Amino acid sequence: MQSLKMSNYYKQICFFLLFATLSSYGQSSFTPSAVSCLRLWLSSDSGITVDGSNNVMQWNDISGNNNNFIQATPANRPAYVSNNLFRTYGLQFDGSAKELINSSFLNGTN
C-alpha cells in the first residue's frame, strides 16, 4: 500500500500537474483521456470529496483509470484549501501524518 505525502518529490509532481492544468486553461476540448499513456490525473478543482471539517477524504483520478487516493482516518486527512485571489484550490499536507493512500497505482499493479 502506497501513500501520497507532500515531500519534495510530490511537490515536483504537484508543480507539474499545476503547470499542465494551467497550460490547458481555455482549451475546452482537452480531456485527460486525450493523453494516450496517461495512468493518473489528479486535479485540485474536481474529483475531491471532503468531510465536514473540509479535509480530503478521497481524491479521484480523472484519467478514467480509477486510481483514486483515499484516507479513512480523519486525523490523517490533508486540508482542502482555496485561494480566493486566484480562484485556485489545493491540498495542504503537513509533511508527516497527512496522507492519501492508493493500494494499487504506485506499486505498479494498475
Side-chain angles (χ1 to χ4, degrees), residues 93-105:
F93 295 84
D94 68 359
S96 62
K98 308 295 184 193
E99 62 186 356
L100 295 170
I101 299 168
N102 177 290
S103 61
S104 62
F105 176 71

Side-chain angles (χ1 to χ4, degrees), residues 3-105:
S3 67
L4 182 61
K5 291 186 180 181
M6 189 52 84
S7 65
N8 285 335
Y9 174 74
Y10 290 111
K11 288 178 186 174
Q12 292 172 354
I13 290 175
C14 289
F15 176 77
F16 172 76
L17 293 174
L18 174 63
F19 178 78
T21 301
L22 292 176
S23 297
S24 64
Y25 183 76
Q27 298 176 359
S28 60
S29 62
F30 179 81
T31 61
S33 60
V35 180
S36 63
C37 62
L38 185 67
R39 292 184 56 209
L40 176 69
W41 185 286
L42 299 172
S43 176
S44 63
D45 63 354
S46 65
I48 294 182
T49 304
V50 296
D51 62 17
S53 299
N54 213 36
N55 293 322
V56 179
M57 298 167 46
Q58 183 165 328
W59 197 0
N60 292 328
D61 170 22
I62 59 173
S63 72
N65 294 316
N66 205 30
N67 290 311
N68 303 326
F69 285 82
I70 61 168
Q71 181 49 263
T73 306
N76 293 344
R77 293 176 181 159
Y80 187 61
V81 296
S82 66
N83 180 328
N84 290 328
L85 178 63
F86 297 107
R87 292 192 174 106
T88 59
Y89 301 89
L91 282 72
Q92 184 176 18
F93 295 84
D94 68 359
S96 62
K98 308 295 184 193
E99 62 186 356
L100 295 170
I101 299 168
N102 177 290
S103 61
S104 62
F105 176 71

